[in-house]
Amino acid sequence: MEYVSLEGLRNDGRRPNECRHTSCAFENPISANSCSGSAEFTFGQTTAVAAVFGPHSSLSTSTIDSLSIERLKVTVEITSAAFGMDAIPKKRATNAATLMKSSKSSRKNKELAVKFEQILRCCIDAKRYPRSEVYVSAATINDDGSASAALFNGIVLALVDAGIPMLDVFVAVCATRLDGETLLDQNEVEERGRGVECFVVAETKERRKTDGLQKGNIGFNSKMNDDYGDDDVKRIVSYDISGGKLAPAAVDDLLRACAKGCDEVSRVVRKAMKKRLRKLASTTRNLA
Amino acid sequence: MIVSEVEQQMRERKMSALQSLTTSSAPSSRVMLYTTPGEVVDGVNASEGFLKGHGTQVSEGELRATVSGVVERVNKLVSVKPMKAKYTPETGDVVVGRINMISSKRWKVDINSRQEAVLQLSSVNLPSGQQRRRNEADELNMSRLFDTADVISAEVQSLFQDGAANLHARSTKYGRLSRGVLVEVCPSLVKRLPQHFHALEVAPGVFIEVLIGCNGFIWVGSPGAATSKQATNEKSKTHEEELVVVDKKERENIVRVANCVRVLDEIFFYVTPQSIMSIYKQSEGIDAKSILTSDGFLARVIEREIDARTRTEEDADML
């Protein structure tokens, strides 16, 4: 199967470096009432929702580890809605097969949750919240590829909605290498192509032009920065390449495309934040 | 869910009303600055110097926001206040809280902040007003004073190093709340006012008591539910004796006022006695339970607000 046509278009009509339609909303209807912040994020047909509970006091004082005493502890839980996964073929739709499928995806979700916890630890201004913890619950409502990026973005939005201090608006995108091309924000068909996959989280704040050589303030992989003198790539906070081998030039291409994708997503996200602020501020001003 | 045509229309009306509220022109006196995390705070000149307040960080010599919110400036102190956040306690705040746990000589109280508040046994008056004996029996009797899951009113006495609140209830105003309901709203909708205990006159001669806690917990109860503890103090009533039956009419009034508060939270309006009463007056003729569920009612509330605002803006133009 060819993933990029001769005209340079992908099977859903996008160019290789193009994201699907991105949208986000605050207060997802599933969990809006009980939590302190919630959001919904979509890439095309991939939809993820996230809800933040807390911050509240660390529940069990006896099991406090040294980290959570002086910093905010973040716990992430990720689930996938059973109706949101790709349909199970009729032949295999026995009970056992369904169970196997769900256990596999729950292992994947657990891994993802641990990864997100680690990334979020350097994204949140955690020192301001000693002896407290925050619980994040996220779910894939519909998986049409790049679900991990949608989940991460949903979580970041929910944290911002809950008023938890973040060093920046961190956004994530996924990309894959197929047919020797970098495909940004792969959909489900491209995900099944089993190319090398990449998950990137990048900071998106405007930097002054002059400090192009300066390193960011968070857990950078310094080796990477030395190898690639690119401004866009310098913004990358965390990346994860899996599923095969790649030539250095291809990695460079992949990361650069992801960094560009993050910028694009962050524009949508920041716009949504401003809109939300305007809406909330409009109701609370000069009321008798 | 099947939605009737009328409901659909009402929902659209609500949405469009909300939309026009957002676009209605801002008052000229105050320009709001909104920022998102990581953005350089507008109007701050790094060379002139600034003081880093809440919700900000200094990175690369520039002041950047860490939360999505409104910029507030006091001289050189710049802070960003998020629209929705947990309650941040301040000394002197009147709060409503729920007892989470009894530990040695103290209660742990949930006051909707990021840390559990502490109410020490020594900072509580006994209901009878008698002197407390500092013995073991006294400690064992703590649950008779406030038990877990009781809702109490108290004042923030001081703050601990990590931002947790130390409460006191050393006044006859404070203590266990009864004969009412607890409504939780967003803490930023409550402004600090000189008075937090209010008696609303819902009908001539009929009062409902409202205690607006600074932490967004609001107690709505029958008259005397929150304030006049003096009457109960004389006879040193136990918990069971306090459980007076509230008659049906009064219960209805309480629920209606509570729902009015929930409406204010839903449409994100400040919760003040005036705003509660204004919603209450508009809700006349609708039964208490449909105040919350009817989009038509919410639409009317918002439209009235827009009307009021355009009128004040016109008045301002005339002057």
Side-chain angles (χ1 to χ4, degrees):
Chain A
M1 178 175 178
E2 70 170 6
Y3 292 96
V4 183
S5 69
L6 284 173
E7 297 89 55
L9 297 177
R10 290 149 77 174
N11 59 10
D12 53 5
R14 283 183 288 159
R15 298 194 180 285
N17 60 354
E18 204 175 340
C19 274
R20 282 172 287 177
H21 176 71
T22 313
S23 69
C24 52
F26 288 99
E27 283 193 345
N28 76 59
I30 299 163
S31 42
N33 287 327
S34 54
C35 58
S36 36
S38 63
E40 182 183 310
F41 193 91
T42 58
F43 272 131
Q45 296 203 54
T46 302
T47 306
V49 291
V52 170
F53 298 84
H56 46 68
S57 294
S58 296
L59 290 178
S60 52
T61 41
S62 56
T63 57
I64 280 184
D65 50 308
S66 57
L67 258 181
S68 63
I69 285 185
E70 43 199 299
R71 320 190 79 211
L72 180 73
K73 188 182 167 207
V74 188
T75 315
V76 179
E77 195 182 273
I78 294 172
T79 50
S80 311
F83 53 83
M85 290 186 285
D86 41 343
I88 300 154
K90 256 189 191 161
K91 253 191 256 167
R92 282 174 50 221
T94 56
N95 247 352
T98 338
L99 276 177
M100 238 164 66
K101 173 111 186 152
S102 72
S103 81
K104 193 182 160 201
S105 93
S106 91
R107 199 191 71 207
K108 215 174 100 188
N109 283 337
K110 265 185 199 138
E111 282 173 5
L112 206 58
V114 171
K115 187 161 90 180
F116 284 2
E117 277 172 21
Q118 285 169 350
I119 299 172
L120 288 173
R121 211 165 284 159
C122 20
C123 298
I124 294 174
D125 194 4
K127 281 184 197 136
R128 291 181 198 280
Y129 288 74
R131 286 169 201 280
S132 43
E133 64 181 27
V134 66
Y135 174 79
V136 181
S137 164
T140 324
I141 296 301
N142 188 16
D143 186 357
D144 187 35
S146 305
S148 53
L151 280 167
F152 186 85
N153 295 339
I155 288 172
V156 167
L157 278 167
L159 285 169
V160 168
D161 188 36
I164 290 166
M166 311 268 282
L167 297 173
D168 193 3
V169 177
F170 294 89
V171 297
V173 291
C174 286
T176 186
R177 285 290 287 188
L178 284 171
D179 297 348
E181 287 255 22
T182 299
L183 304 182
L184 191 64
D185 185 30
Q186 67 270 34
N187 60 23
E188 210 241 328
V189 178
E190 288 156 353
E191 210 156 68
R192 267 189 270 146
R194 303 232 166 259
V196 177
E197 287 190 5
C198 175
F199 169 81
V200 162
V201 178
E203 56 174 16
T204 57
K205 58 186 173 200
E206 293 270 316
R207 281 161 166 273
R208 279 178 300 176
K209 288 280 183 288
T210 48
D211 58 10
L213 290 167
Q214 212 169 339
K215 272 175 194 155
N217 48 357
I218 21 185
F220 263 88
N221 183 340
S222 58
K223 188 171 179 291
M224 189 187 81
N225 285 309
D226 295 340
D227 288 351
Y228 307 106
D230 197 301
D231 254 14
D232 283 337
V233 179
K234 275 186 194 299
R235 293 165 165 267
I236 292 174
V237 174
S238 158
Y239 70 101
D240 180 8
I241 297 175
S242 60
K245 292 177 188 166
L246 272 187
V251 174
D252 188 25
D253 192 40
L254 201 57
L255 292 182
R256 197 165 296 157
C258 286
K260 286 257 158 59
C262 283
D263 276 348
E264 209 172 295
V265 173
S266 88
R267 266 195 290 280
V268 176
V269 168
R270 283 193 200 267
K271 207 172 152 195
M273 282 176 190
K274 289 266 167 80
K275 193 178 158 200
R276 163 96 173 149
L277 279 174
R278 262 202 300 282
K279 190 187 154 211
L280 290 183
S282 73
T283 52
T284 48
R285 82 187 158 84
N286 70 344
L287 188 89
Chain B
M1 198 171 76
I2 301 157
V3 184
S4 77
E5 206 170 303
V6 181
E7 279 176 45
Q8 188 60 42
Q9 274 175 8
M10 283 306 169
R11 189 160 302 166
E12 275 160 21
R13 193 170 140 197
K14 185 182 107 185
M15 297 314 276
S16 73
L18 271 174
Q19 187 59 43
S20 50
L21 193 63
T22 315
T23 49
S24 66
S25 62
S28 51
S29 56
R30 231 169 109 216
V31 181
M32 295 267 225
L33 278 178
Y34 310 113
T35 68
T36 53
E39 241 179 272
V40 177
V41 178
D42 277 343
V44 176
N45 195 341
S47 57
E48 279 174 22
F50 51 78
L51 285 168
K52 183 168 74 101
H54 288 294
T56 57
Q57 57 177 331
V58 177
S59 94
E60 292 150 20
E62 274 177 302
L63 192 70
R64 290 173 191 267
T66 56
V67 293
S68 172
V70 182
V71 181
E72 287 182 347
R73 296 191 66 168
V74 179
N75 289 330
K76 293 209 163 171
L77 177 70
V78 184
S79 51
V80 181
K81 199 171 155 241
M83 276 295 170
K84 252 175 71 183
K86 283 263 170 170
Y87 166 64
T88 324
E90 273 174 39
T91 307
D93 281 358
V94 176
V95 295
V96 175
R98 192 185 283 279
I99 307 281
N100 257 357
M101 186 164 59
I102 303 179
S103 59
S104 67
K105 289 185 199 163
R106 67 193 63 204
W107 290 273
K108 294 284 179 66
V109 193
D110 171 22
I111 56 162
N112 197 23
S113 74
R114 60 197 193 218
Q115 296 274 301
E116 260 175 350
V118 171
L119 176 63
Q120 275 162 339
L121 181 55
S122 58
S123 39
V124 168
N125 275 1
L126 292 190
S128 50
Q130 73 203 43
Q131 284 295 313
R132 214 168 50 81
R133 288 167 197 276
R134 290 169 188 270
N135 55 17
E136 271 180 33
D138 186 46
E139 264 183 66
L140 290 172
N141 278 334
M142 275 176 72
S143 67
R144 288 190 52 191
L145 218 51
F146 305 133
D147 206 348
T148 32
D150 276 356
V151 179
I152 58 153
S153 61
E155 192 178 306
V156 179
Q157 182 171 32
S158 57
L159 298 178
F160 293 113
Q161 189 78 57
D162 57 3
N166 185 14
L167 306 178
H168 82 84
R170 243 184 257 107
S171 157
T172 46
K173 283 195 292 187
Y174 306 126
R176 179 169 44 219
L177 300 167
S178 58
R179 287 178 287 147
V181 288
L182 177 70
V183 185
E184 296 177 24
V185 302
C186 181
S188 49
L189 293 180
V190 179
K191 282 199 274 193
R192 292 185 172 88
L193 298 166
Q195 184 56 262
H196 287 270
F197 296 87
H198 299 280
L200 304 181
E201 190 168 16
V202 291
V206 183
F207 288 91
I208 291 293
E209 203 158 87
V210 180
L211 167 51
I212 305 175
C214 289
N215 57 339
F217 283 8
I218 289 161
W219 186 262
V220 184
S222 50
T227 44
S228 58
K229 286 280 179 328
Q230 291 92 336
T232 56
N233 281 348
E234 284 160 18
K235 287 181 214 160
S236 126
K237 283 189 176 180
T238 58
H239 193 190
E240 286 70 31
E241 282 168 86
E242 266 181 37
L243 297 174
V244 192
V245 176
V246 179
D247 67 59
K248 192 178 174 235
K249 187 85 193 109
E250 199 159 63
R251 283 210 301 273
E252 258 180 25
N253 282 335
I254 291 172
V255 168
R256 183 177 286 264
V257 172
N259 276 356
C260 291
V261 177
R262 291 192 183 103
V263 164
L264 287 171
D265 184 43
E266 170 89 22
I267 53 183
F268 216 74
F269 279 0
Y270 280 126
V271 180
T272 60
Q274 293 80 17
S275 67
I276 297 173
M277 276 319 283
S278 120
I279 304 278
Y280 187 91
K281 288 206 185 95
Q282 292 174 60
S283 81
E284 269 160 20
I286 304 173
D287 49 316
K289 72 170 180 190
S290 48
I291 294 178
L292 271 180
T293 49
S294 137
D295 282 324
F297 177 65
L298 288 184
R300 245 174 297 147
V301 168
I302 299 164
E303 279 163 6
R304 254 182 72 125
E305 173 63 22
I306 296 170
D307 273 0
R309 278 186 197 177
T310 34
R311 237 176 294 129
T312 49
E313 267 158 31
E314 276 164 16
D315 288 351
D317 287 343
M318 296 274 273
L319 296 168

